[in-house]
Amino acid sequence: MALQDLCGFKDSRWNFPDSILPFLSFPPGFPPSSSPSVPLPFPMSHGTTTLAFMFQGGVIAAADTRSSCNGLVACPASQKILPVHSHLVGTTSGTSADCALWKRILARELRLYQLRHGRRLSTAGAAKLLAHMLHPFKGTELCVAATLCGWDGCELVLSGPSLYYVCSDGTRLQGALFSVGSGSPYAYSVLDGGVRWGLTVEEAISLAREAVYRATHRDAYSGNCVDVYHITSHGWTRRDREELREEYYREKEREKVKAHRGCEGSSSPLGSAEAAGLDEDVRALSISLHMLEALCLSGDKRGMICQ
Amino acid sequence: MALFDVSGYKSHSELRGQILGTGVGHLIDRPNQQFSVPVGVDPSGFLKSCSREGGVSIDLNHGTTTLAFTFRHGVIVAVDSRASAGSYIASKEANKVIEINPYLLGTMSGSAADCQYWERLLGKECRLYKLRNKQRISVSAASKLLCNMMLGYRGMGLSMGSMIVGWDNKGPGLYYVDDNATRLSGRMFSTGCGSSYAYGVIDSGYREDMTVEEAYELGRRGITHATHRDAYSGGVVNLYHMQEDGWIKVCKEDVSELIHRYRKGMF
């Protein structure tokens, strides 16, 4: 490019056809070809909980909103799910700054691709692009672990929901269910038990919220609120952000109510079978109440609440 | 004691202390029980050199999943059965629950040798307590005995994460005892490296007024999902139910069959 020639910037490593990183002014010799990795001051783990899964109604992406800095909650209302374009959303985990920058770079490159070729790049392509862009920084302190959730609608590729996990150490995996971060084990077990292809949209959203809630309950580096995005063929929609503290109090209330009802039930002269039946009804009612609450208490942009 | 003084009896520890002078010559946790070690051996110092700061890294991870929770009808205890030595599976049917007596159970996670030895020792102490005092030891006292044993060897490389479960006069009891001599009473615990997966499931399904069948199912699910995601857990689910008149062993089911049952309808 002209500017490069003018500055005399020469780096034979950059063989990308479109010169992806032309104007980021790196000092000569950066990224170092053989980088002695600087030892980290403490072992970094991605202090977050993000998850994403596919089902018949599209892709659900959910994440908490706590940004921590070595024991301090730096921001209780950060955004960990960043929309890349109308049909692609990326969850972020790792260093917040790195994730934000690389998401923006990815968004720019995808837009350029769309302008040049007249169609959107598929999620697989976007994942490949991101992985290749991050590859030169392997071995440095860059830390990005993202799941790209999108809907591919082009005739050239298979249309439908798509989910990829990309990591700055070079991993790029396709899958149906991913959870990333320090709270991911807690979320994985909840999701493993509930995710099925045939879930309805409400059930899927409720399951995603439950998984993030359980993870924030046990993991110190996750907490505050939960963001849920839903990607369909029409694009992504976002639920209003929900405070998980409210969820915790609601659960405590429900437990108290059930304990009361349990006491009343045991003192009545019902037979054991009927008592069990009563328990089941109570449980079924409380489960459906829970889901209704989940929908009604925070509406989503498209106005899909039932009143 | 008077007789000791009159007869000039010197206990073993006194004699050794006289011969060897002061300094670490033995490890004592109880007056009449000690491990004799060569003079000059300093386990804590040696272990410091094995930690990450010393250069070598010997990580003592508790490679298992065990869980226990109390509810209205008692205590449920569920454990996996995989014993691993690094990446080698030493046993797929290890027994991680020690039946101390008909009303007391202990789970094991961490080093199998440490757990087995110390919990059998705990069993011996509980039996001695019953013989001396003509009544069963309480769960609180049993867990305290184990905790004090751990305290005697703190910093010397023991690796044990155990839950003591029982039913005594105060009702169902559940205590978590650690190799750091942590002792916690609670309603729900899970230990081992698969514990975070189990916590997600049991947190989400736990209610104090569950029926017995639901509680069994929750315990099974917790272990099954943990074995599905954790490489160091697997084998079978051993499920125990601690009731008022003692414990019963509920089932021993293979996790591969259970996970297929639970994930029916997945991709």
Side-chain angles (χ1 to χ4, degrees):
Chain A
M1 293 192 56
L3 187 57
Q4 258 176 283
D5 294 341
L6 203 60
C7 306
F9 179 78
K10 271 180 187 45
D11 193 340
S12 57
R13 279 171 59 90
W14 299 114
N15 289 322
F16 292 120
D18 290 324
S19 274
I20 286 178
L21 305 164
F23 66 86
L24 287 173
S25 54
F26 295 134
F30 185 90
S33 40
S34 62
S35 54
S37 55
V38 180
L40 293 173
F42 47 84
M44 301 238 221
S45 64
H46 310 170
T48 187
T49 309
T50 66
L51 58 94
F53 60 89
M54 288 206 288
F55 69 114
Q56 53 85 17
V59 190
I60 297 282
D64 73 309
T65 61
R66 177 177 287 186
S67 276
S68 50
C69 179
N70 200 17
L72 166 74
V73 175
C75 176
S78 56
Q79 206 178 8
K80 299 192 189 180
I81 307 188
L82 303 171
V84 174
H85 61 64
S86 62
H87 285 71
L88 182 65
V89 136
T91 69
T92 64
S93 167
T95 317
S96 310
D98 288 332
C99 289
L101 173 68
W102 285 101
K103 278 280 151 62
R104 288 196 66 150
I105 293 178
L106 181 68
R108 182 183 55 123
E109 290 306 317
L110 293 182
R111 179 67 181 143
L112 284 172
Y113 184 96
Q114 187 178 5
L115 288 171
R116 287 176 189 136
H117 298 89
R119 61 178 179 86
R120 274 202 303 273
L121 187 57
S122 63
T123 316
K128 202 147 204 171
L129 190 59
L130 184 61
H132 285 171
M133 288 199 287
L134 292 175
H135 181 69
F137 300 94
K138 188 174 157 110
T140 66
E141 287 167 33
L142 186 73
C143 183
V144 172
T147 59
L148 296 176
C149 324
W151 188 287
D152 302 330
C154 185
E155 324 77 52
L156 286 175
V157 294
L158 218 61
S159 171
S162 188
L163 182 55
Y164 276 82
Y165 168 70
V166 180
C167 182
S168 55
D169 60 13
T171 314
R172 183 176 56 91
L173 298 168
Q174 189 198 14
L177 167 71
F178 286 110
S179 175
V180 188
S182 54
S184 65
Y186 307 100
Y188 263 128
S189 51
V190 174
L191 291 172
D192 277 343
V195 168
R196 291 181 320 280
W197 183 259
L199 286 174
T200 66
V201 174
E202 293 83 23
E203 284 172 347
I205 290 179
S206 162
L207 184 65
R209 271 178 72 252
E210 174 78 3
V212 174
Y213 172 59
R214 292 296 157 203
T216 58
H217 183 55
R218 287 283 175 183
D219 178 34
Y221 294 108
S222 310
N224 297 105
C225 308
V226 58
D227 279 335
V228 180
Y229 280 69
H230 177 210
I231 300 104
T232 60
S233 57
H234 303 294
W236 56 260
T237 57
R238 178 179 178 231
R239 277 173 67 81
D240 282 348
R241 180 170 277 196
E242 274 182 78
E243 274 259 18
L244 287 174
R245 194 178 24 182
E246 311 293 322
E247 176 66 31
Y248 179 72
Y249 291 138
R250 255 180 275 144
E251 196 179 64
K252 284 274 167 283
E253 273 307 310
R254 254 176 272 139
E255 268 175 36
K256 233 182 283 177
V257 164
K258 251 175 266 163
H260 278 252
R261 246 184 246 141
C263 291
E264 287 161 33
S266 59
S267 59
S268 77
L270 281 173
S272 58
E274 284 130 311
L278 192 70
D279 275 348
E280 273 186 276
D281 289 337
V282 165
R283 215 178 331 118
L285 191 62
S286 60
I287 290 174
S288 55
L289 269 177
H290 170 100
M291 296 220 297
L292 268 178
E293 275 174 355
L295 290 173
C296 298
L297 280 167
S298 29
D300 74 325
K301 268 189 191 171
R302 296 286 218 78
M304 276 169 22
I305 331 166
C306 51
Q307 290 290 357
Chain B
M1 288 175 63
L3 186 56
F4 277 17
D5 293 336
V6 163
S7 58
Y9 173 87
K10 287 198 175 64
S11 75
H12 181 73
S13 53
E14 266 184 64
L15 276 172
R16 215 185 145 127
Q18 277 178 350
I19 295 167
L20 303 166
T22 55
V24 179
H26 45 257
L27 306 168
I28 300 182
D29 58 348
R30 281 181 314 289
N32 52 354
Q33 170 91 26
Q34 59 208 33
F35 287 116
S36 45
V37 294
V39 178
V41 163
D42 177 23
S44 338
F46 168 69
L47 276 167
K48 273 207 191 71
S49 68
C50 293
S51 70
R52 211 157 283 164
E53 299 99 55
V56 184
S57 172
I58 298 182
D59 284 329
L60 300 169
N61 293 321
H62 301 187
T64 185
T65 313
T66 68
L67 66 89
F69 56 87
T70 60
F71 69 120
R72 182 166 297 175
H73 304 286
V75 192
I76 297 288
V77 179
V79 302
D80 75 312
S81 70
R82 176 173 289 185
S84 46
S87 59
Y88 173 68
I89 297 177
S91 167
K92 62 177 163 72
E93 276 178 23
N95 191 10
K96 299 190 187 180
V97 172
I98 179 167
E99 300 154 2
I100 297 173
N101 57 45
Y103 47 89
L104 210 55
L105 287 174
T107 67
M108 311 187 205
S109 75
S111 155
D114 286 336
C115 291
Q116 282 176 354
Y117 176 79
W118 292 107
E119 296 195 21
R120 285 197 69 153
L121 202 58
L122 176 68
K124 186 191 85 166
E125 292 296 322
C126 293
R127 176 72 181 141
L128 285 174
Y129 180 97
K130 178 156 187 219
L131 289 170
R132 288 177 186 136
N133 304 77
K134 293 204 180 61
Q135 64 172 2
R136 290 192 214 154
I137 192 172
S138 66
V139 187
S140 168
S143 59
K144 195 119 202 187
L145 275 176
L146 187 61
C147 173
N148 288 338
M149 290 179 209
M150 290 296 111
L151 205 51
Y153 294 93
R154 192 172 174 178
M156 297 188 187
L158 288 181
S159 165
M160 186 198 81
S162 157
M163 293 181 293
I164 304 297
V165 175
W167 195 305
D168 55 20
N169 306 335
K170 295 182 221 137
L174 171 57
Y175 284 83
Y176 168 72
V177 179
D178 204 335
D179 50 86
N180 293 321
T182 307
R183 173 175 164 268
L184 299 168
S185 163
R187 258 191 337 175
M188 178 199 297
F189 289 109
S190 176
T191 69
C193 56
S195 64
S196 26
Y197 303 100
Y199 269 130
V201 172
I202 54 180
D203 273 343
S204 148
Y206 176 81
R207 283 183 343 268
E208 203 274 336
D209 60 347
M210 285 187 286
T211 64
V212 171
E213 276 308 317
E214 284 175 345
Y216 291 166
E217 190 60 16
L218 190 66
R220 266 194 291 260
R221 263 186 186 269
I223 297 291
T224 307
H225 284 297
T227 59
H228 180 59
R229 286 286 176 183
D230 178 35
Y232 294 103
S233 308
V236 298
V237 179
N238 283 314
L239 190 62
Y240 288 75
H241 179 192
M242 175 68 67
Q243 298 164 324
E244 189 160 2
D245 51 359
W247 54 261
I248 56 167
K249 179 154 186 186
V250 175
C251 76
K252 178 177 162 159
E253 287 187 42
D254 194 320
V255 293
S256 340
E257 282 156 38
L258 284 173
I259 194 73
H260 278 110
R261 211 197 307 160
Y262 296 145
R263 285 170 58 109
K264 231 191 301 206
M266 267 213 82
F267 315 93

